[in-house]
Amino acid sequence: MFPERRLRRLRKRTLQPLFRETRLGLSDLVMPLFFDETIEEAVPIGSMPGQYRYPVGDAGAVAERLEQAGLSAVLVFGIPRKKDAAATAAYDGDGVVQKSVAGIKETCPDLVVITDVCACEYTDHGHCGIVGETCGGGPDLLNDPSLVLMQKIAVSHARAGADIVAPSCMLDGMVQAIRTALDGSGFAEVPIMSYSTKFASAYYGPFRDAADSGFSFGDRTTYQMDPANAREALLESEEDAAEGADMLMVKPAGLYLDILASIQDIGLPVAAYQVSGEYSQLKAASALGWLDEKKCALEALICIKRAGADLIITYYAEDVARWLREEQ
Ligand code: PBG
Ligand code: ZN
């Protein structure tokens, strides 16, 4: 007997689009943006071709460009003028993120502005919060003292007009601490998108160059997760859901699709962050003529969506907007 099922029947060119299970749309995408308080003109980021650090004064114009391209959300990072051990510039009402968010909102009130709530761009040691001696373990990120810092940063972002705050420090209790602080400051309506399952990934390398957030000692493996652990990955996201997160996240995206699929059952919306290294490796290989950039980028993104991402944070967002326009 010849096989009864001929799966190729539905793969005819004209039929195929009717049976496509997953589609990538502009409303799936979030564009990360870097604002730098120390510059007057946009500076290209060497390790991330096509990406820039923008001066704070450009915030409105950049937002307008992205909105006109069809994008509906951005994720804002800041590079401050001054770094110190307590990351004081991170919650300054006049700080780089606060001013940039205000600039975006003034020009594009409907563009969804998400802010990265972390301290690594603002500490002189480059770690994601307050560092101190641990019992017998040498200097390390101190959990509970850092929570107070995250509360201040999140509230200051909300006050500046952020639509969503996104804590990325991987501290225990960070979602509950931030929820309490937001609620107590009149921001009960501001959602928290938690970087709930964030791995200690070497693929963040180009970002540390972009955001000037490399660390002066140690690494982030005592707070970010071991890439080998799938059960713990689920626990991390479940914990943040229980603490009141409105959205979860898996980061990086492309190498962690099993994790992304496994946290669907929690029931909250899930974002996936296609990180700097995922972007830069495609850029580098396509610059050498070894990969077709557009095809590879769209394939990576559709696979992330297929695995369960409701939102994809990607440096390719603006390119995808152009590619989708070209196809119409
Ligand atoms: C800050 C933060 C990082 C990224 C997003 N937020 C760096 C890190 O955790 O070391 C990485 C983003 C990327 O690589 O594109 N905590
Ligand atoms: Zn950080």
Side-chain angles (χ1 to χ4, degrees), residues 63-296:
E64 205 160 30
R65 187 186 84 212
L66 296 174
E67 198 171 51
Q68 266 163 18
L71 296 173
S72 46
V74 296
L75 172 63
V76 172
F77 294 93
I79 298 110
R81 184 164 293 128
K82 158 179 136 287
K83 296 177 191 263
D84 57 33
T88 54
Y91 53 87
D92 181 348
D94 242 352
V96 55
V97 164
Q98 292 79 358
K99 278 190 293 194
S100 303
V101 169
I104 294 171
K105 279 290 164 187
E106 202 172 69
T107 318
C108 302
D110 293 333
L111 187 69
V112 174
V113 178
I114 309 169
T115 55
D116 185 87
V117 174
C118 203
C120 47
E121 293 97 350
Y122 304 86
T123 50
D124 46 16
H125 46 68
H127 282 285
C128 298
I130 306 297
V131 160
E133 277 306 310
T134 55
C135 13
D140 200 354
L141 187 66
L142 300 179
N143 199 85
D144 297 8
S146 301
L147 291 178
V148 181
L149 174 58
M150 297 309 147
Q151 290 178 313
K152 291 187 205 162
I153 300 174
V155 169
S156 79
H157 288 181
R159 201 164 274 140
D163 295 290
I164 301 175
V165 294
S168 68
C169 51
M170 285 295 285
L171 293 165
D172 288 331
M174 81 183 174
V175 173
Q176 187 180 69
I178 290 173
R179 187 69 272 157
T180 308
L182 288 173
D183 291 358
S185 309
F187 298 111
E189 304 290 326
V190 173
I192 298 175
M193 169 168 152
S194 177
Y195 285 69
S196 53
T197 298
K198 177 174 175 181
F199 291 91
S201 174
Y203 285 79
Y204 306 153
F207 172 93
R208 290 177 188 157
D209 180 23
D212 191 21
S213 64
F215 33 80
S216 56
F217 69 90
D219 56 31
R220 301 211 204 288
T221 57
T222 64
Y223 41 110
Q224 298 177 352
M225 272 197 57
D226 181 344
N229 293 358
R231 280 198 308 263
E232 187 190 355
L234 184 57
L235 280 177
E236 274 288 358
S237 277
E238 281 173 346
E239 181 59 33
D240 285 12
E243 288 180 25
D246 299 280
M247 265 163 287
L248 303 172
M249 193 197 298
V250 174
K251 178 186 170 199
L255 295 166
Y256 296 86
L257 298 183
D258 55 332
I259 307 295
L260 185 54
S262 82
I263 71 172
Q264 297 301 306
D265 293 344
I266 297 174
L268 288 178
V270 182
Y273 197 143
Q274 185 187 49
V275 302
S276 55
E278 299 179 82
Y279 172 83
S280 297
Q281 66 182 356
L282 279 182
K283 280 281 171 189
S286 48
L288 289 165
W290 293 348
L291 288 176
D292 179 323
E293 182 179 23
K294 175 178 166 181
K295 288 203 172 107
C296 287

